[in-house]
Amino acid sequence: MNNTSFGVAEELSSLKDKSYISSFDLTFDQMHGLFDLALQLKKGNRRIDLGNRILGVIFKKASTRTRVSFQVAMARLGGQIVDLNIQTTQISRGEPIKDTARVLSRYCDALAIRTYKHKELIDYANWSSIPVINALTDLEHPCQSLADFFTIQEFYGDLKGLSLAYIGDGNNVANSLIITGAILGVNINISTPKGFEPDNSILKKASSIANISGSSIDINNDPYESVKGVNAIYTDVWSSMGQEEEAGERKSAFEGFTIDNELLSRADKEAIILHCLPAHRGEEISDNVFEGESSRIFDQAENRLHVQQALLAALLGGV
Ligand code: CP
Ligand code: NVA
């Protein structure tokens, strides 16, 4: 289907009551529908009032952007957040997910969950009768990758024919970028040190989608090769939440994978720099590239809000 207004509205209404667990859960049209709505919301051309709906949030890991952007998005949609603090609820005492999920489904209209094991999130979704949103797991960060490609589209006007290089750890952020890029038809080059490649089963599944969308996925261990001529360069921390003890070892393994001016000079002249944040300057990215004129990092962070507002509106039936 073409990305027409009619098609977009139809695609978004098909998301009502659905969960968003993986980047694989959305189609090309649904992603473009969300981008169109996010742009309207960002420009102030559209207001959506869902009535007093409640998003329950469970964060088992720290968060600034995801937590605050979901909270502000719900407030702008006329709803509220209920923060299910894991220490003061029965969650930390081991109440089974199947019970917690069924109870929360009686109070809330949707749940956003950040946790370690992806399987835990799937269990929540299977036992909930309300939409469940992945606010990051060890395997994926699908809300992030939506905002990332929205940011690239905003800069270039169109995603068609573009290439993105991701340099660093083949982690949750990389996995979701690969999937979303394959669905949207953006060429993705991933460069990691040996042994830190993205998830293999995600790669296989995304490659078959890329074959259909006409894009490519290239995995290698040479950052200079990966950034050649690309339109966007992306990186993330070398040690994700939960890997703090490996930080020293990882720092040595990732030597040569810093995005600095020399690496940037191999990309397209207009190439933009992205980072999901938080960043470790001097490790995965140099301070002058982070703060430089190619950086769109803070637009990208802002766009979490607009894209998630569009996502919530669609899942809660407001479009
Ligand atoms: N990028 C991102 O998800 O940031 P937070 O960990 O602050 O939510
Ligand atoms: N890969 C990072 C992303 C943080 C938003 C982590 O999981 O810690």
Side-chain angles (χ1 to χ4, degrees):
M1 187 188 291
N2 288 329
N3 185 17
T4 60
S5 304
F6 173 70
V8 161
E10 213 173 51
E11 288 303 331
L12 286 191
S13 58
S14 69
L15 287 175
K16 183 174 179 296
D17 299 330
K18 298 267 166 54
S19 285
Y20 184 44
I21 300 300
S22 164
S23 296
F24 285 120
D25 292 344
L26 296 180
T27 64
F28 175 95
D29 287 325
Q30 287 167 339
M31 286 185 189
H32 277 288
L34 290 174
F35 293 171
D36 281 10
L37 180 56
L39 192 61
Q40 288 173 33
L41 292 164
K42 183 172 182 174
K43 287 182 169 168
N45 294 341
R46 176 114 184 237
R47 268 189 68 81
I48 296 173
D49 191 341
L50 295 176
N52 192 21
R53 311 293 287 281
I54 305 294
L55 176 71
V57 296
I58 300 173
F59 280 88
K60 290 197 173 178
K61 298 178 178 180
S63 171
T64 299
R65 280 142 289 269
T66 309
R67 175 187 282 283
V68 178
S69 55
F70 268 119
Q71 187 148 6
V72 174
M74 276 310 278
R76 289 193 179 175
L77 291 166
Q80 291 181 50
I81 287 262
V82 171
D83 189 350
L84 295 141
N85 181 319
I86 59 157
Q87 296 310 327
T88 55
T89 57
Q90 301 285 8
I91 294 170
S92 58
R93 292 185 63 236
E95 184 168 10
I97 287 175
K98 61 183 178 183
D99 296 351
T100 307
R102 282 179 289 179
V103 170
L104 294 178
S105 298
R106 304 289 179 105
Y107 302 144
C108 301
D109 299 292
L111 292 174
I113 301 173
R114 170 169 288 197
T115 191
Y116 293 86
K117 292 196 180 93
H118 194 74
K119 165 79 170 57
E120 203 176 288
L121 188 73
I122 293 172
D123 289 345
Y124 268 104
N126 287 342
W127 286 99
S128 296
S129 53
I130 55 176
V132 174
I133 300 169
N134 183 346
L136 180 147
T137 64
D138 287 347
L139 190 67
E140 279 198 55
H141 197 1
C143 292
Q144 179 69 54
S145 64
L146 277 184
D148 300 338
F149 284 98
F150 176 73
T151 306
I152 298 171
Q153 178 173 283
E154 203 177 25
F155 183 77
Y156 286 104
D158 191 358
L159 292 172
K160 210 165 177 245
L162 297 183
S163 307
L164 174 145
Y166 174 94
I167 310 299
D169 187 23
N171 59 16
N172 43 11
V173 168
N175 289 333
S176 279
L177 280 172
I178 290 168
I179 303 165
T180 311
I183 295 170
L184 291 170
V186 174
N187 303 315
I188 305 288
N189 299 342
I190 304 278
S191 187
T192 71
K194 282 200 171 70
F196 294 92
E197 287 83 3
D199 182 84
N200 209 33
S201 63
I202 285 185
L203 268 178
K204 274 196 192 141
K205 206 170 152 190
S207 297
S208 48
I209 295 173
N211 281 340
I212 298 165
S213 71
S215 61
S216 61
I217 301 172
D218 178 73
I219 311 288
N220 71 49
N221 309 110
D222 179 356
Y224 283 87
E225 189 55 37
S226 285
V227 300
K228 261 189 208 159
V230 295
N231 309 99
I233 305 181
Y234 196 122
T235 190
D236 182 18
V237 290
W238 292 338
S239 299
S240 284
M241 289 179 277
Q243 298 171 331
E244 288 78 5
E245 284 178 7
E246 298 168 31
E249 203 179 304
R250 282 174 167 263
K251 214 169 155 180
S252 318
F254 283 83
E255 211 173 298
F257 285 78
T258 302
I259 298 184
D260 54 17
N261 276 328
E262 204 187 328
L263 194 65
L264 178 56
S265 70
R266 311 291 176 101
D268 183 84
K269 277 200 314 297
E270 283 209 335
I272 59 171
I273 298 293
L274 300 173
H275 191 309
C276 60
L277 299 177
H280 290 169
R281 288 168 169 83
E283 291 189 18
E284 74 275 5
I285 190 162
S286 67
D287 185 62
N288 50 14
V289 170
F290 185 96
E291 301 290 353
E293 60 182 24
S294 305
S295 171
R296 292 293 173 279
I297 292 171
F298 292 99
D299 293 331
Q300 181 187 6
E302 178 189 332
N303 286 335
R304 296 289 306 277
L305 167 63
H306 308 300
V307 167
Q308 285 159 207
Q309 198 180 334
L311 178 71
L312 287 165
L315 301 183
L316 291 170
V319 291

